[in-house]
Amino acid sequence: MRQAPARMAHDHPGHEHGQHPPSDMELRVKALESVLVEKGLVDPAALDAIVDHYQHKVGPRNGARVVAKAWSDPAFRARLETDATAAIAELGYTGRQGEHMVALFNTPSLHNMVVCTLCSCYPWPVLGLPPVWYKSAPYRSRAVIDPRGVLAEFGVSLPQGIEVRVWDSTAEVRYLVIPERPAGTERLSEAELAALVTRDGMIGTARL
Ligand code: FE
């Protein structure tokens, strides 16, 4: 693949340019889409529907329901530990980019954080489409080299006693972080618990 060093330097979170030219990848996607539509191989409305589905209908609320159920149903939590794909499918969340799920449980002494160093692998059925920063080169490289530094930029400072474990997604395995249940939530319903769960909490770049 060709390198684009000049552009990479600008490609990091918190430093968005409004007016930069489209990236090589954006141009290639546009070109491919035009050719496919022109040849009648894809219907642009169908493409829009797929993007809309993952952007607005799936989103991270599915993952939040998984987390809330794990907090309130010990049997479900156990199934999530042994076979996350099957446990998540019980809630109806299946499909592409979610075929091999692994749940990572935060504990008082362990914080899990997810990255895809190679590209942008992400568990679509539970979290929807990845945020821009997740796909950025700086996050992908620095999450592994300096996870505490990255967490600090997200406003998370972890006590030294807590181990940070970084998990690199692959084409096969997708991870979902199960944050710890916040204190004082014993009386909340599953729906109320789900409302407390954030997308970044399930990627591991936030604590609840
Ligand atoms: Fe990837």
Side-chain angles (χ1 to χ4, degrees):
M1 183 181 280
R2 283 179 299 127
Q3 300 291 307
R7 191 170 296 110
M8 296 301 278
H10 286 88
D11 189 20
H12 59 87
H15 190 65
E16 299 284 332
H17 292 271
Q19 295 296 325
H20 63 75
S23 69
D24 284 359
M25 185 61 83
E26 285 166 327
L27 290 172
R28 279 162 186 265
V29 169
K30 275 283 159 219
L32 261 177
E33 187 181 339
S34 306
V35 171
L36 291 170
V37 169
E38 204 178 290
K39 291 192 178 293
L41 294 173
V42 299
D43 171 3
L47 283 183
D48 289 346
I50 291 171
V51 171
D52 179 69
H53 177 75
Y54 283 103
Q55 221 156 34
H56 299 113
K57 299 196 178 67
V58 174
R61 300 330 304 164
N62 290 357
R65 282 182 210 110
V66 173
V67 171
K69 194 167 177 63
W71 286 343
S72 42
D73 179 347
F76 178 77
R77 183 188 175 94
R79 294 198 295 281
L80 200 56
E81 283 183 62
T82 45
D83 185 348
T85 312
I88 291 168
E90 289 175 26
L91 302 186
Y93 309 142
T94 59
R96 64 182 88 178
Q97 312 293 323
E99 293 91 345
H100 304 282
M101 292 295 306
V102 171
L104 307 168
F105 295 83
N106 284 352
T107 73
S109 58
L110 174 67
H111 179 82
N112 295 287
M113 187 171 149
V114 179
V115 67
C116 175
T117 55
L118 199 62
C119 44
S120 56
C121 298
Y122 194 72
W124 293 5
V126 280
L127 293 186
L129 296 178
V132 171
W133 56 258
Y134 183 86
K135 299 185 278 187
S136 76
Y139 177 75
R140 284 157 38 209
S141 55
R142 290 191 46 228
V144 178
I145 300 164
D146 179 22
R148 281 175 188 273
V150 170
L151 283 171
E153 282 169 26
F154 277 93
V156 179
S157 64
L158 287 180
Q160 280 305 317
I162 299 185
E163 180 196 345
V164 180
R165 211 171 281 171
V166 179
W167 300 78
D168 193 359
S169 311
T170 68
E172 280 79 39
V173 179
R174 304 300 158 90
Y175 299 103
L176 181 70
V177 174
I178 310 296
E180 283 186 280
R181 181 172 177 157
T185 59
E186 293 75 16
R187 306 175 76 101
L188 297 188
S189 69
E190 231 174 88
E192 289 168 325
L193 287 171
L196 302 176
V197 183
T198 63
R199 178 197 66 196
D200 290 2
M202 294 181 281
I203 302 175
T205 50
R207 305 269 287 175
L208 298 188

